Amino acid sequence: MTGSEAPPSFRLAYVPGVTPDKWVRIWNERLPDVPLALTQVPAAGAGRVLLDGDADAGLVRLPVDRTLLSAIPLYTETTVVLIPRDHLVTAADEVTVEDLADEIVLHPLDDVLGWDRPPGRPALERPATTADAVELVAAGIGVLLVPLSLARLHHRKDLTYRTVTDAPESSVALSWPEAAHTDHVEDFIGIVRGRTVNSTRGRQPEPGRSKDGRGEAAGSARRKAAGGGTGGGRTGGTTGGRQTGGVARRGTGGNRRGGSAGKGKGGGRGGRPRHR
């Protein structure tokens, strides 16, 4: 590399409300020589940022165009109604859409809940952004339904929120262009899925191969010749499946055959669930 060349980097876009700090920290620990560049993008424009090549992957809100983008759903957020602290709705721990029928429900142009028609009464105009809508809620002009992370992002001392049990919800996913599934994208997939640093990233070695590349059958024939063909070791594989955050992955040590003559050790220990 010449002095003018920049080191390889990984560009991660993320939408408002998403907090990638934990995954960024793990990336920096595992790949210290590959800088991770973060860029916040509007939720509605995240797909275009990825398709235009301005980011390698993104933490986005579903849905995305699955004909052009791959996506791994990560979590679904609770929807809340943002209200002034002295509002009557604060008397309940949670509400339904019907409870808001008499309220002016603000519907910003950057809404991420995908309403066909929000509940309640419409405002005279749609606010341009969620931030603008929050200001109107603080002024007592209406209420606002948003994912919980956006309510926290726009926190104000004079506002609070309550869960809306039957409102649409917003899901967050890791997404990247179908045609640009790079090694660094795979590295980040491993991080969000909780794979260990020694993981094979879901790619199992070819079964029945020894370290020198020779087949299992040849090794088995030699063992039978040496041991008189007395039954050999029992087959002992483990599936090695571990789960982190509800996504199953294959272990790196599974599906081996016991190779010693005589008393073969069957079935290694199964994978333990990993706790965050």
Side-chain angles (χ1 to χ4, degrees):
M1 184 175 72
T2 65
S4 61
E5 292 177 332
S9 64
F10 182 69
R11 299 165 301 164
L12 180 68
Y14 69 102
V15 298
V18 174
T19 307
D21 298 7
K22 174 184 176 182
W23 297 320
V24 171
R25 175 178 55 78
I26 296 173
W27 176 280
N28 291 334
E29 291 172 354
R30 293 187 184 180
L31 294 96
D33 297 330
V34 183
L36 191 154
L38 280 174
T39 303
Q40 187 178 88
V41 297
R48 179 48 52 192
V49 168
L50 296 174
L51 293 175
D52 287 347
D54 295 326
D56 300 302
L59 296 167
V60 305
R61 293 191 182 275
L62 295 176
V64 297
D65 184 352
R66 297 301 290 266
T67 64
L68 299 172
L69 297 170
S70 295
I72 299 175
L74 300 177
Y75 57 88
T76 298
E77 290 195 70
T78 298
T79 297
V80 300
V81 58
L82 196 65
I83 47 180
R85 286 193 172 272
D86 58 356
H87 197 282
L88 292 176
V89 169
T90 60
D93 292 331
E94 55 186 32
V95 298
T96 66
V97 165
E98 186 177 356
D99 294 328
L100 304 174
D102 294 330
E103 302 291 337
I104 294 177
V105 177
L106 301 168
H107 189 202
L109 295 176
D110 63 354
D111 170 68
V112 297
L113 295 177
W115 297 99
D116 290 331
R117 182 181 182 280
R121 297 181 293 140
L124 294 177
E125 294 182 3
R126 293 184 63 181
T129 66
T130 296
D132 292 335
V134 171
E135 293 294 330
L136 294 175
V137 174
I141 293 174
V143 301
L144 175 66
L145 280 79
V146 288
L148 177 57
S149 67
L150 289 182
R152 290 173 171 168
L153 177 66
H154 296 287
H155 170 73
R156 292 174 54 120
K157 292 182 179 180
D158 53 347
L159 300 181
T160 188
Y161 57 80
R162 291 293 184 269
T163 298
V164 184
T165 58
D166 56 350
E169 297 175 319
S170 176
S171 295
V172 173
L174 173 65
S175 183
W176 65 94
E178 284 271 7
H181 190 143
T182 64
D183 284 345
H184 286 333
V185 169
E186 189 63 36
D187 288 330
F188 199 79
I189 292 172
I191 288 173
V192 299
R193 281 184 159 175
R195 295 176 189 156
T196 64
V197 67
N198 295 321
S199 169
T200 57
R201 300 191 301 183
R203 295 196 270 275
Q204 292 282 30
E206 184 180 349
R209 288 283 179 182
S210 59
K211 290 182 179 179
D212 60 3
R214 297 177 182 175
E216 176 79 15
S220 176
R222 289 195 298 272
R223 289 194 295 272
K224 286 183 178 180
T230 58
R234 293 175 291 177
T235 300
T238 67
T239 59
R242 298 188 182 182
Q243 291 189 345
T244 303
V247 181
R249 65 184 175 83
R250 287 172 284 184
T252 58
N255 298 328
R256 294 182 297 180
R257 293 178 180 269
S260 59
K263 297 181 179 180
K265 293 184 178 179
R269 293 180 296 173
R272 299 177 180 174
R274 179 178 177 186
H275 302 284
R276 291 174 181 253

